[in-house]
Amino acid sequence: MDTPFPFSQYVTGNKFIGRKQDVTLLGNLLTQGEHVSIFEPPKTGKTSLIQQTLFSLRVTGRTFAVGQFSAMNIRTEEDFLLRLGSTVLKMVASSPAEFEALVKQYLQGTHFVFDSDDFTQTGQAVSLGWELDKNDALAMLRLPFALADSRQQKMILIIEEFHCVGNLEDPDAILRPLAAVIKEQKGRNFSFIFSGSAVNAMSAIFTGSVLFSRRVERVTLSVAPEEEVTEHLHRGFLSSGKVVEKRLLQGVYNLFRGHLWYINHLIAIADSLSRGYIMEPLLVEALEGLVSIHEPSFRGIMNSLTTHQVSLLKATLDGVTRFSASEVIRKYGLNSSANVKRVKEALMKKEVIMLDQNDNPVLEDPLFEYWVRKYYFEMKD
């Protein structure tokens, strides 16, 4: 169902709000053949940015092949390489005969094969005929570059939830050969887009390590301007004959720090509850409904934290920045500066907090922050 407040799928075209400079930047990087990483908290618009950028490039006459897969449920090196290979082959071929020919041409001397039975049962365009070795990984990771160069065709591979590579028994079995292959390539016909919603895990891969230094460009999502967002929401209500004061919409924007998914979800709930003029009590009711949807997961997060982690979280909400100061350690019962460091790292590993531009910790999720403030710590506004 078409809605002026979409939140269940990515958006492009006239529903894509703000971030025009982000689209231009990402488009320029892809046009130049650069590899890109995009890591932001969940549901902040990564997929929408990528799809809007591809849409904009096509409008200007650019031609390219696009492949996409998620690393979310990948737990072995073999699964990652097979999924990558199958995705890439399907970007340039469509029949079993074509897949078999490409595997023989580009993966000769490896343990990769085309298995017609596997293809029939699972749709996999490439399979393993034996256990992997180091040369197999390098050959598979070189495959998209080789295909793009041989065809002189621009190819873009999007790997979503790339941080899940960290769940492998040995993440370096993928990361090190991947970095080596990216480093050795000279052509500009193929680009990776590494997307991930675990900010700290992705940062550890792309900015906390020298593996991909200056080889993968990070694109950060800018915050959609308040005026543009509130105008979008106002027009959406007007389209169904409803009226709302813009100051209320500004309040929603500020509560969620411009987080468009939460904003659209809240407003969609409010839209379903209303028939005419929308007042503040109705928006409060919609907010309570939104909180009730997410409260079980928020409780789960808090139940997973240690006492020291809860204390550091409270200090973060109180606006503390110098956590190792003796008075802060005493006030929040954090024991020592060494313990503060461990607790902070634990909260970042759990993706509860991240560091802002000034290296100060902030909660990643604005609705979680609202819930923690109001319902867990019972802090006054």
Side-chain angles (χ1 to χ4, degrees), residues 69 80-93 98-108 110 112-113 125-127 135-151 153 155 157 177-178 181-182 184-185 189-192:
F69 73 91
F80 181 88
L81 294 173
L82 290 174
R83 192 168 301 181
L84 183 148
S86 188
T87 302
V88 170
L89 290 172
K90 290 178 180 180
M91 292 168 66
V92 299
E98 290 175 315
F99 295 142
E100 185 172 14
L102 290 172
V103 170
K104 287 181 178 178
Q105 180 179 356
Y106 289 98
L107 297 173
Q108 188 175 19
T110 72
F112 293 111
V113 298
V126 62
S127 303
N135 292 329
D136 291 338
L138 287 169
M140 183 61 81
L141 292 168
R142 288 176 179 136
L143 176 64
F145 295 93
L147 287 171
D149 288 343
S150 68
R151 285 165 167 70
Q153 176 187 15
M155 294 173 59
L157 179 60
L178 176 60
V181 168
I182 288 176
E184 74 185 19
Q185 299 301 320
N189 290 318
F190 175 76
S191 294
F192 278 113

Side-chain angles (χ1 to χ4, degrees), residues 36-47 50 69-72 158-165 193-203 205-206 218-219 221 351 354 364:
V36 178
S37 66
I38 305 175
F39 45 98
E40 304 286 344
K43 296 295 185 180
T44 46
K46 297 180 290 297
T47 301
I50 293 169
F69 73 91
S70 172
M72 178 181 65
I158 305 162
I159 307 181
E160 297 180 323
E161 303 301 289
F162 184 75
H163 59 273
C164 292
V165 170
I193 299 179
F194 302 104
S195 174
S197 57
V199 177
N200 299 315
M202 288 287 285
S203 180
I205 294 172
F206 291 105
R218 183 184 179 187
V219 173
L221 296 183
E351 300 292 343
M354 62 183 181
E364 291 189 12

Side-chain angles (χ1 to χ4, degrees), residues 6-110:
F7 62 88
S8 61
Q9 64 278 322
Y10 69 79
V11 295
T12 57
N14 59 10
K15 291 183 179 178
F16 183 84
I17 306 300
R19 294 174 175 162
K20 294 179 177 62
Q21 291 182 334
D22 301 349
V23 170
T24 300
L25 173 59
L26 179 56
N28 288 340
L29 290 171
L30 294 175
T31 300
Q32 294 163 15
E34 300 288 350
H35 306 290
V36 178
S37 66
I38 305 175
F39 45 98
E40 304 286 344
K43 296 295 185 180
T44 46
K46 297 180 290 297
T47 301
S48 292
L49 172 63
I50 293 169
Q51 294 301 325
Q52 177 64 27
T53 300
L54 298 178
F55 172 78
S56 298
L57 289 175
R58 291 189 181 100
V59 168
T60 62
R62 304 278 183 182
T63 58
F64 44 84
V66 179
Q68 180 175 336
F69 73 91
S70 172
M72 178 181 65
N73 59 350
I74 289 176
R75 290 301 176 117
T76 68
E77 177 188 359
E78 291 86 350
D79 287 344
F80 181 88
L81 294 173
L82 290 174
R83 192 168 301 181
L84 183 148
S86 188
T87 302
V88 170
L89 290 172
K90 290 178 180 180
M91 292 168 66
V92 299
S94 57
S95 71
E98 290 175 315
F99 295 142
E100 185 172 14
L102 290 172
V103 170
K104 287 181 178 178
Q105 180 179 356
Y106 289 98
L107 297 173
Q108 188 175 19
T110 72

Side-chain angles (χ1 to χ4, degrees), residues 54 68 77 324 341 363 370:
L54 298 178
Q68 180 175 336
E77 177 188 359
S324 296
K341 184 174 184 287
L363 275 70
Y370 170 81

Side-chain angles (χ1 to χ4, degrees), residues 160-180:
E160 297 180 323
E161 303 301 289
F162 184 75
H163 59 273
C164 292
V165 170
N167 295 329
L168 303 184
E169 183 176 347
D170 180 15
D172 279 350
I174 291 296
L175 296 178
R176 288 193 177 278
L178 176 60

